[in-house]
Structure formats: C-alpha cells, structure tokens
Amino acid sequence: MPVRIADQGREGLPWVWRAAPDEVSARYGCDAGMQPRDDRLVRAITIQAEPEVVFAWLGNLRVAPYSYDWLDNLGRRSPRQLRADLGPLRPGQRVMYIFEVEGVEQGRSVTIRARPGLGRRIFGDVRVTYAVAAGEPGCGSRLVAVLRFRATGGTADAVRRRLLAWGDLLMMRKQLRTLRDLAQAHP
C-alpha cells in the first residue's frame, strides 16, 4: 500500500527534497514496522550513471559516510575509489559507524538501522533505505533515500524530530551529491 503524503502531513522542506510524488508515495524497506505518526523524510537525486554503478557506491558507505567529512568522518576524507574488497552488502554489516545493514535487495536497495548504543541514544530508532532505479531514458539513475524515525510524543520529541529533519536534510543532501559526483566520475 502506498504511503499517502496527507497521512504524513509533511510536504516540502525539510521533509522532502527533490523527490518526485511517486518516489514519495512508494513504500521502502524502512517503512516496515513504522506507524503513520512516525516521521518520514524523502530525498532524491538524478545521477548520470548506470544503476549498478550507483548501487556499488552505496557499498562504500561501510567505510565512510560521504557527507561532511570534517564532521561525520572524524576529519578523514571519504574514499574516492570503489572498494571492491568489501564484497556484496549483507545484513549485519556496519555502515557509517552508527548503522548496520538490515536488509538488501542486491542492485536495487539497502536498508540500514541505527545500531544499539550511542547513535540510537542520540538519534533514536532511525531506519534508512537507499533505493536505486533506472532514470528516464538518457537520465542514468535515480537514487532515493528515505529516512524513518519514531515519534514518541510530547513537545521535546516534536522539537527533536524537527531538528533531526533539518539536520538530515543538510547531511543527506551533501551525501547524495557526493555519491552522485563519484558515480559519474568513476564508473
């Protein structure tokens, strides 16, 4: 069953960035087990590279977050080459330090979830699906990132969720643009 935007009550920034209506309403792995009141953020980008190239770059998230390296990679530069030695994505693998792979559709999508510990204590039970699909003819691929986090209720939770939405927009936008640039430059 598709997710109805009206159910979310969230359109535009910071909830949706560059995603088409069908990408927003589609269901993703991170939607499983979530409630309609839980927040849902959708970000998307067009990449002039084949879907398999884009998906291969998602595998590199196991070694770096590809966002603002000075902030979320302890100042180290995220690798600019594909790490073929990592092998295929599999459930249980650590991703971007605070996440682990929850599910994989090889070549199509990967769903990750905040690991128990510091990340989950700070951000809550966050789940993210990265989905890759062929774009319109001559347009390479579309990479859609959908982030879900639980709403626990109350004023403090509402403030936390709004801050998470804006923070994620800044970080995810940078991450998607970096992955786009690398996939286009290093097929």
mmCIF file of all heavy atoms in Angstrom, residues 142-183:
data_model
loop_
_atom_site.group_PDB
_atom_site.id
_atom_site.type_symbol
_atom_site.label_atom_id
_atom_site.label_comp_id
_atom_site.label_asym_id
_atom_site.label_seq_id
_atom_site.Cartn_x
_atom_site.Cartn_y
_atom_site.Cartn_z
ATOM 1 N N ARG A 142 18.137 7.127 -10.629
ATOM 2 C CA ARG A 142 17.597 7.920 -9.529
ATOM 3 C C ARG A 142 18.020 7.218 -8.255
ATOM 4 O O ARG A 142 17.888 5.999 -8.126
ATOM 5 C CB ARG A 142 16.073 7.987 -9.580
ATOM 6 C CG ARG A 142 15.527 8.883 -10.651
ATOM 7 C CD ARG A 142 15.721 10.351 -10.384
ATOM 8 N NE ARG A 142 14.807 10.851 -9.358
ATOM 9 C CZ ARG A 142 14.890 12.053 -8.826
ATOM 10 N NH1 ARG A 142 15.855 12.886 -9.170
ATOM 11 N NH2 ARG A 142 14.037 12.427 -7.901
ATOM 12 N N LEU A 143 18.531 7.981 -7.320
ATOM 13 C CA LEU A 143 18.867 7.478 -6.003
ATOM 14 C C LEU A 143 17.927 8.157 -5.021
ATOM 15 O O LEU A 143 17.911 9.382 -4.925
ATOM 16 C CB LEU A 143 20.325 7.775 -5.654
ATOM 17 C CG LEU A 143 20.793 7.422 -4.239
ATOM 18 C CD1 LEU A 143 20.563 5.939 -3.930
ATOM 19 C CD2 LEU A 143 22.249 7.792 -4.058
ATOM 20 N N VAL A 144 17.125 7.352 -4.339
ATOM 21 C CA VAL A 144 16.162 7.866 -3.364
ATOM 22 C C VAL A 144 16.593 7.382 -1.989
ATOM 23 O O VAL A 144 16.887 6.198 -1.802
ATOM 24 C CB VAL A 144 14.724 7.367 -3.670
ATOM 25 C CG1 VAL A 144 13.739 7.883 -2.637
ATOM 26 C CG2 VAL A 144 14.304 7.769 -5.079
ATOM 27 N N ALA A 145 16.652 8.296 -1.036
ATOM 28 C CA ALA A 145 16.958 7.957 0.352
ATOM 29 C C ALA A 145 15.736 8.315 1.192
ATOM 30 O O ALA A 145 15.250 9.447 1.135
ATOM 31 C CB ALA A 145 18.180 8.720 0.841
ATOM 32 N N VAL A 146 15.241 7.332 1.920
ATOM 33 C CA VAL A 146 14.067 7.537 2.776
ATOM 34 C C VAL A 146 14.491 7.244 4.206
ATOM 35 O O VAL A 146 15.013 6.164 4.493
ATOM 36 C CB VAL A 146 12.902 6.623 2.360
ATOM 37 C CG1 VAL A 146 11.687 6.855 3.255
ATOM 38 C CG2 VAL A 146 12.533 6.855 0.898
ATOM 39 N N LEU A 147 14.276 8.197 5.081
ATOM 40 C CA LEU A 147 14.655 8.072 6.480
ATOM 41 C C LEU A 147 13.390 8.056 7.334
ATOM 42 O O LEU A 147 12.503 8.873 7.135
ATOM 43 C CB LEU A 147 15.534 9.257 6.874
ATOM 44 C CG LEU A 147 16.072 9.243 8.295
ATOM 45 C CD1 LEU A 147 17.538 9.622 8.272
ATOM 46 C CD2 LEU A 147 15.305 10.183 9.178
ATOM 47 N N ARG A 148 13.325 7.100 8.249
ATOM 48 C CA ARG A 148 12.198 6.996 9.179
ATOM 49 C C ARG A 148 12.712 7.063 10.602
ATOM 50 O O ARG A 148 13.730 6.464 10.918
ATOM 51 C CB ARG A 148 11.462 5.660 9.001
ATOM 52 C CG ARG A 148 10.805 5.415 7.663
ATOM 53 C CD ARG A 148 9.703 6.385 7.305
ATOM 54 N NE ARG A 148 8.641 6.529 8.286
ATOM 55 C CZ ARG A 148 7.456 5.925 8.217
ATOM 56 N NH1 ARG A 148 7.181 5.120 7.234
ATOM 57 N NH2 ARG A 148 6.554 6.145 9.156
ATOM 58 N N PHE A 149 12.013 7.803 11.459
ATOM 59 C CA PHE A 149 12.315 7.766 12.882
ATOM 60 C C PHE A 149 11.032 7.910 13.669
ATOM 61 O O PHE A 149 10.080 8.528 13.239
ATOM 62 C CB PHE A 149 13.392 8.764 13.318
ATOM 63 C CG PHE A 149 13.197 10.185 12.861
ATOM 64 C CD1 PHE A 149 12.524 11.100 13.641
ATOM 65 C CD2 PHE A 149 13.727 10.603 11.654
ATOM 66 C CE1 PHE A 149 12.372 12.411 13.236
ATOM 67 C CE2 PHE A 149 13.582 11.912 11.241
ATOM 68 C CZ PHE A 149 12.903 12.817 12.036
ATOM 69 N N ARG A 150 11.038 7.262 14.802
ATOM 70 C CA ARG A 150 9.835 7.135 15.614
ATOM 71 C C ARG A 150 9.468 8.438 16.313
ATOM 72 O O ARG A 150 10.326 9.167 16.784
ATOM 73 C CB ARG A 150 10.013 6.043 16.655
ATOM 74 C CG ARG A 150 10.227 4.684 16.016
ATOM 75 C CD ARG A 150 9.809 3.564 16.934
ATOM 76 N NE ARG A 150 10.113 2.288 16.316
ATOM 77 C CZ ARG A 150 9.306 1.664 15.467
ATOM 78 N NH1 ARG A 150 8.174 2.176 15.125
ATOM 79 N NH2 ARG A 150 9.648 0.494 14.955
ATOM 80 N N ALA A 151 8.171 8.663 16.378
ATOM 81 C CA ALA A 151 7.624 9.774 17.148
ATOM 82 C C ALA A 151 7.197 9.214 18.495
ATOM 83 O O ALA A 151 6.425 8.268 18.555
ATOM 84 C CB ALA A 151 6.425 10.366 16.421
ATOM 85 N N THR A 152 7.745 9.770 19.558
ATOM 86 C CA THR A 152 7.393 9.272 20.889
ATOM 87 C C THR A 152 6.390 10.164 21.591
ATOM 88 O O THR A 152 5.855 9.798 22.626
ATOM 89 C CB THR A 152 8.653 9.111 21.767
ATOM 90 O OG1 THR A 152 9.324 10.362 21.849
ATOM 91 C CG2 THR A 152 9.576 8.060 21.189
ATOM 92 N N GLY A 153 6.140 11.356 21.049
ATOM 93 C CA GLY A 153 5.138 12.256 21.615
ATOM 94 C C GLY A 153 5.741 13.307 22.520
ATOM 95 O O GLY A 153 6.860 13.180 23.011
ATOM 96 N N GLY A 154 4.994 14.370 22.715
ATOM 97 C CA GLY A 154 5.426 15.449 23.603
ATOM 98 C C GLY A 154 6.145 16.556 22.865
ATOM 99 O O GLY A 154 6.568 16.412 21.722
ATOM 100 N N THR A 155 6.262 17.674 23.536
ATOM 101 C CA THR A 155 6.888 18.858 22.955
ATOM 102 C C THR A 155 8.372 18.645 22.682
ATOM 103 O O THR A 155 8.875 19.004 21.626
ATOM 104 C CB THR A 155 6.698 20.076 23.887
ATOM 105 O OG1 THR A 155 5.302 20.257 24.119
ATOM 106 C CG2 THR A 155 7.259 21.338 23.268
ATOM 107 N N ALA A 156 9.085 18.079 23.627
ATOM 108 C CA ALA A 156 10.519 17.843 23.440
ATOM 109 C C ALA A 156 10.760 16.925 22.240
ATOM 110 O O ALA A 156 11.692 17.148 21.460
ATOM 111 C CB ALA A 156 11.140 17.242 24.698
ATOM 112 N N ASP A 157 9.911 15.900 22.085
ATOM 113 C CA ASP A 157 10.052 14.994 20.950
ATOM 114 C C ASP A 157 9.776 15.726 19.642
ATOM 115 O O ASP A 157 10.478 15.514 18.650
ATOM 116 C CB ASP A 157 9.113 13.791 21.094
ATOM 117 C CG ASP A 157 9.264 12.820 19.943
ATOM 118 O OD1 ASP A 157 10.401 12.347 19.721
ATOM 119 O OD2 ASP A 157 8.263 12.552 19.257
ATOM 120 N N ALA A 158 8.788 16.587 19.612
ATOM 121 C CA ALA A 158 8.470 17.349 18.402
ATOM 122 C C ALA A 158 9.647 18.239 18.000
ATOM 123 O O ALA A 158 9.996 18.336 16.815
ATOM 124 C CB ALA A 158 7.212 18.184 18.612
ATOM 125 N N VAL A 159 10.287 18.882 18.976
ATOM 126 C CA VAL A 159 11.454 19.717 18.705
ATOM 127 C C VAL A 159 12.608 18.853 18.200
ATOM 128 O O VAL A 159 13.270 19.190 17.210
ATOM 129 C CB VAL A 159 11.872 20.505 19.972
ATOM 130 C CG1 VAL A 159 13.225 21.181 19.779
ATOM 131 C CG2 VAL A 159 10.801 21.530 20.334
ATOM 132 N N ARG A 160 12.850 17.719 18.857
ATOM 133 C CA ARG A 160 13.914 16.793 18.444
ATOM 134 C C ARG A 160 13.712 16.343 17.001
ATOM 135 O O ARG A 160 14.645 16.351 16.191
ATOM 136 C CB ARG A 160 13.949 15.572 19.363
ATOM 137 C CG ARG A 160 14.978 14.514 18.960
ATOM 138 C CD ARG A 160 14.833 13.239 19.777
ATOM 139 N NE ARG A 160 13.636 12.504 19.468
ATOM 140 C CZ ARG A 160 13.523 11.577 18.495
ATOM 141 N NH1 ARG A 160 14.552 11.295 17.746
ATOM 142 N NH2 ARG A 160 12.390 10.957 18.275
ATOM 143 N N ARG A 161 12.487 15.967 16.663
ATOM 144 C CA ARG A 161 12.195 15.472 15.312
ATOM 145 C C ARG A 161 12.374 16.563 14.262
ATOM 146 O O ARG A 161 12.874 16.311 13.176
ATOM 147 C CB ARG A 161 10.802 14.873 15.276
ATOM 148 C CG ARG A 161 10.749 13.573 16.075
ATOM 149 C CD ARG A 161 9.377 12.967 16.278
ATOM 150 N NE ARG A 161 8.380 13.337 15.339
ATOM 151 C CZ ARG A 161 7.127 13.697 15.686
ATOM 152 N NH1 ARG A 161 6.757 13.720 16.941
ATOM 153 N NH2 ARG A 161 6.239 13.992 14.754
ATOM 154 N N ARG A 162 11.995 17.774 14.571
ATOM 155 C CA ARG A 162 12.167 18.872 13.615
ATOM 156 C C ARG A 162 13.660 19.163 13.413
ATOM 157 O O ARG A 162 14.109 19.386 12.281
ATOM 158 C CB ARG A 162 11.437 20.114 14.085
ATOM 159 C CG ARG A 162 11.421 21.208 13.043
ATOM 160 C CD ARG A 162 10.100 21.956 13.116
ATOM 161 N NE ARG A 162 9.956 22.896 12.040
ATOM 162 C CZ ARG A 162 9.370 22.626 10.888
ATOM 163 N NH1 ARG A 162 8.885 21.435 10.652
ATOM 164 N NH2 ARG A 162 9.254 23.548 9.971
ATOM 165 N N LEU A 163 14.423 19.161 14.497
ATOM 166 C CA LEU A 163 15.866 19.365 14.380
ATOM 167 C C LEU A 163 16.516 18.236 13.579
ATOM 168 O O LEU A 163 17.400 18.480 12.745
ATOM 169 C CB LEU A 163 16.509 19.467 15.761
ATOM 170 C CG LEU A 163 16.211 20.752 16.536
ATOM 171 C CD1 LEU A 163 16.767 20.656 17.956
ATOM 172 C CD2 LEU A 163 16.748 21.980 15.817
ATOM 173 N N LEU A 164 16.080 17.002 13.814
ATOM 174 C CA LEU A 164 16.600 15.867 13.045
ATOM 175 C C LEU A 164 16.292 16.031 11.558
ATOM 176 O O LEU A 164 17.126 15.733 10.702
ATOM 177 C CB LEU A 164 16.013 14.551 13.542
ATOM 178 C CG LEU A 164 16.715 13.887 14.713
ATOM 179 C CD1 LEU A 164 15.925 12.674 15.190
ATOM 180 C CD2 LEU A 164 18.131 13.480 14.349
ATOM 181 N N ALA A 165 15.089 16.488 11.245
ATOM 182 C CA ALA A 165 14.695 16.656 9.838
ATOM 183 C C ALA A 165 15.587 17.681 9.138
ATOM 184 O O ALA A 165 16.070 17.440 8.029
ATOM 185 C CB ALA A 165 13.223 17.054 9.750
ATOM 186 N N TRP A 166 15.819 18.830 9.781
ATOM 187 C CA TRP A 166 16.678 19.840 9.171
ATOM 188 C C TRP A 166 18.132 19.371 9.114
ATOM 189 O O TRP A 166 18.817 19.575 8.109
ATOM 190 C CB TRP A 166 16.569 21.171 9.913
ATOM 191 C CG TRP A 166 15.341 21.928 9.523
ATOM 192 C CD1 TRP A 166 14.224 22.109 10.277
ATOM 193 C CD2 TRP A 166 15.090 22.580 8.270
ATOM 194 N NE1 TRP A 166 13.292 22.830 9.570
ATOM 195 C CE2 TRP A 166 13.800 23.146 8.335
ATOM 196 C CE3 TRP A 166 15.831 22.739 7.107
ATOM 197 C CZ2 TRP A 166 13.240 23.860 7.284
ATOM 198 C CZ3 TRP A 166 15.271 23.455 6.046
ATOM 199 C CH2 TRP A 166 13.993 24.007 6.142
ATOM 200 N N GLY A 167 18.608 18.758 10.180
ATOM 201 C CA GLY A 167 19.977 18.254 10.193
ATOM 202 C C GLY A 167 20.197 17.196 9.130
ATOM 203 O O GLY A 167 21.212 17.202 8.418
ATOM 204 N N ASP A 168 19.220 16.282 9.003
ATOM 205 C CA ASP A 168 19.345 15.249 7.988
ATOM 206 C C ASP A 168 19.330 15.850 6.591
ATOM 207 O O ASP A 168 20.074 15.398 5.719
ATOM 208 C CB ASP A 168 18.227 14.209 8.114
ATOM 209 C CG ASP A 168 18.316 13.188 7.008
ATOM 210 O OD1 ASP A 168 19.232 12.337 7.063
ATOM 211 O OD2 ASP A 168 17.509 13.273 6.047
ATOM 212 N N LEU A 169 18.512 16.859 6.362
ATOM 213 C CA LEU A 169 18.476 17.495 5.045
ATOM 214 C C LEU A 169 19.864 18.005 4.658
ATOM 215 O O LEU A 169 20.336 17.745 3.552
ATOM 216 C CB LEU A 169 17.462 18.643 5.019
ATOM 217 C CG LEU A 169 17.429 19.447 3.718
ATOM 218 C CD1 LEU A 169 17.004 18.576 2.541
ATOM 219 C CD2 LEU A 169 16.512 20.646 3.867
ATOM 220 N N LEU A 170 20.523 18.682 5.573
ATOM 221 C CA LEU A 170 21.860 19.200 5.274
ATOM 222 C C LEU A 170 22.858 18.075 5.013
ATOM 223 O O LEU A 170 23.631 18.127 4.053
ATOM 224 C CB LEU A 170 22.350 20.067 6.432
ATOM 225 C CG LEU A 170 21.587 21.366 6.652
ATOM 226 C CD1 LEU A 170 22.058 22.049 7.923
ATOM 227 C CD2 LEU A 170 21.720 22.292 5.458
ATOM 228 N N MET A 171 22.858 17.063 5.864
ATOM 229 C CA MET A 171 23.822 15.975 5.739
ATOM 230 C C MET A 171 23.523 15.064 4.542
ATOM 231 O O MET A 171 24.427 14.697 3.791
ATOM 232 C CB MET A 171 23.867 15.152 7.027
ATOM 233 C CG MET A 171 24.242 15.954 8.270
ATOM 234 S SD MET A 171 25.822 16.790 8.166
ATOM 235 C CE MET A 171 26.902 15.411 8.479
ATOM 236 N N MET A 172 22.259 14.691 4.380
ATOM 237 C CA MET A 172 21.886 13.780 3.292
ATOM 238 C C MET A 172 22.055 14.449 1.932
ATOM 239 O O MET A 172 22.475 13.799 0.965
ATOM 240 C CB MET A 172 20.448 13.297 3.484
ATOM 241 C CG MET A 172 20.002 12.258 2.481
ATOM 242 S SD MET A 172 20.826 10.664 2.649
ATOM 243 C CE MET A 172 19.978 10.030 4.083
ATOM 244 N N ARG A 173 21.736 15.722 1.844
ATOM 245 C CA ARG A 173 21.915 16.448 0.590
ATOM 246 C C ARG A 173 23.386 16.382 0.168
ATOM 247 O O ARG A 173 23.707 16.086 -0.978
ATOM 248 C CB ARG A 173 21.456 17.891 0.801
ATOM 249 C CG ARG A 173 21.542 18.744 -0.406
ATOM 250 C CD ARG A 173 20.946 20.126 -0.087
ATOM 251 N NE ARG A 173 21.578 21.054 -0.972
ATOM 252 C CZ ARG A 173 22.225 22.140 -0.598
ATOM 253 N NH1 ARG A 173 22.285 22.481 0.650
ATOM 254 N NH2 ARG A 173 22.791 22.906 -1.479
ATOM 255 N N LYS A 174 24.294 16.634 1.103
ATOM 256 C CA LYS A 174 25.728 16.557 0.809
ATOM 257 C C LYS A 174 26.132 15.131 0.442
ATOM 258 O O LYS A 174 26.880 14.911 -0.517
ATOM 259 C CB LYS A 174 26.525 17.044 2.032
ATOM 260 C CG LYS A 174 28.017 16.852 1.931
ATOM 261 C CD LYS A 174 28.653 17.714 0.884
ATOM 262 C CE LYS A 174 30.176 17.638 1.016
ATOM 263 N NZ LYS A 174 30.832 17.958 -0.223
ATOM 264 N N GLN A 175 25.625 14.146 1.197
ATOM 265 C CA GLN A 175 25.955 12.758 0.919
ATOM 266 C C GLN A 175 25.495 12.347 -0.487
ATOM 267 O O GLN A 175 26.265 11.749 -1.254
ATOM 268 C CB GLN A 175 25.311 11.837 1.944
ATOM 269 C CG GLN A 175 25.645 10.376 1.730
ATOM 270 C CD GLN A 175 24.868 9.483 2.664
ATOM 271 O OE1 GLN A 175 23.642 9.428 2.596
ATOM 272 N NE2 GLN A 175 25.577 8.803 3.556
ATOM 273 N N LEU A 176 24.260 12.651 -0.843
ATOM 274 C CA LEU A 176 23.747 12.261 -2.155
ATOM 275 C C LEU A 176 24.505 12.949 -3.282
ATOM 276 O O LEU A 176 24.806 12.329 -4.310
ATOM 277 C CB LEU A 176 22.251 12.551 -2.255
ATOM 278 C CG LEU A 176 21.347 11.736 -1.332
ATOM 279 C CD1 LEU A 176 19.887 12.136 -1.516
ATOM 280 C CD2 LEU A 176 21.535 10.239 -1.529
ATOM 281 N N ARG A 177 24.843 14.206 -3.098
ATOM 282 C CA ARG A 177 25.611 14.920 -4.122
ATOM 283 C C ARG A 177 27.020 14.346 -4.254
ATOM 284 O O ARG A 177 27.546 14.247 -5.367
ATOM 285 C CB ARG A 177 25.660 16.405 -3.804
ATOM 286 C CG ARG A 177 24.333 17.089 -4.066
ATOM 287 C CD ARG A 177 24.375 18.545 -3.719
ATOM 288 N NE ARG A 177 23.192 19.229 -4.235
ATOM 289 C CZ ARG A 177 22.919 20.490 -3.999
ATOM 290 N NH1 ARG A 177 23.743 21.234 -3.273
ATOM 291 N NH2 ARG A 177 21.827 21.025 -4.502
ATOM 292 N N THR A 178 27.631 13.980 -3.154
ATOM 293 C CA THR A 178 28.968 13.381 -3.213
ATOM 294 C C THR A 178 28.916 12.038 -3.920
ATOM 295 O O THR A 178 29.744 11.756 -4.802
ATOM 296 C CB THR A 178 29.553 13.221 -1.796
ATOM 297 O OG1 THR A 178 29.637 14.509 -1.173
ATOM 298 C CG2 THR A 178 30.937 12.586 -1.842
ATOM 299 N N LEU A 179 27.938 11.191 -3.571
ATOM 300 C CA LEU A 179 27.797 9.894 -4.247
ATOM 301 C C LEU A 179 27.514 10.088 -5.740
ATOM 302 O O LEU A 179 28.056 9.350 -6.572
ATOM 303 C CB LEU A 179 26.699 9.066 -3.582
ATOM 304 C CG LEU A 179 27.029 8.573 -2.173
ATOM 305 C CD1 LEU A 179 25.790 7.948 -1.522
ATOM 306 C CD2 LEU A 179 28.185 7.580 -2.189
ATOM 307 N N ARG A 180 26.700 11.083 -6.077
ATOM 308 C CA ARG A 180 26.435 11.388 -7.489
ATOM 309 C C ARG A 180 27.732 11.731 -8.205
ATOM 310 O O ARG A 180 28.031 11.166 -9.262
ATOM 311 C CB ARG A 180 25.451 12.559 -7.598
ATOM 312 C CG ARG A 180 25.230 13.039 -9.023
ATOM 313 C CD ARG A 180 24.683 14.436 -9.101
ATOM 314 N NE ARG A 180 25.626 15.393 -8.529
ATOM 315 C CZ ARG A 180 25.276 16.617 -8.157
ATOM 316 N NH1 ARG A 180 24.034 17.048 -8.258
ATOM 317 N NH2 ARG A 180 26.192 17.434 -7.665
ATOM 318 N N ASP A 181 28.498 12.648 -7.640
ATOM 319 C CA ASP A 181 29.736 13.086 -8.292
ATOM 320 C C ASP A 181 30.722 11.932 -8.472
ATOM 321 O O ASP A 181 31.364 11.816 -9.518
ATOM 322 C CB ASP A 181 30.378 14.216 -7.482
ATOM 323 C CG ASP A 181 29.519 15.485 -7.468
ATOM 324 O OD1 ASP A 181 28.552 15.582 -8.258
ATOM 325 O OD2 ASP A 181 29.813 16.361 -6.633
ATOM 326 N N LEU A 182 30.835 11.087 -7.462
ATOM 327 C CA LEU A 182 31.758 9.946 -7.552
ATOM 328 C C LEU A 182 31.276 8.917 -8.574
ATOM 329 O O LEU A 182 32.090 8.393 -9.353
ATOM 330 C CB LEU A 182 31.939 9.318 -6.184
ATOM 331 C CG LEU A 182 32.717 10.179 -5.184
ATOM 332 C CD1 LEU A 182 32.601 9.619 -3.785
ATOM 333 C CD2 LEU A 182 34.175 10.316 -5.617
ATOM 334 N N ALA A 183 29.992 8.610 -8.588
ATOM 335 C CA ALA A 183 29.461 7.631 -9.549
ATOM 336 C C ALA A 183 29.618 8.137 -10.982
ATOM 337 O O ALA A 183 29.900 7.359 -11.894
ATOM 338 C CB ALA A 183 28.008 7.325 -9.249
#
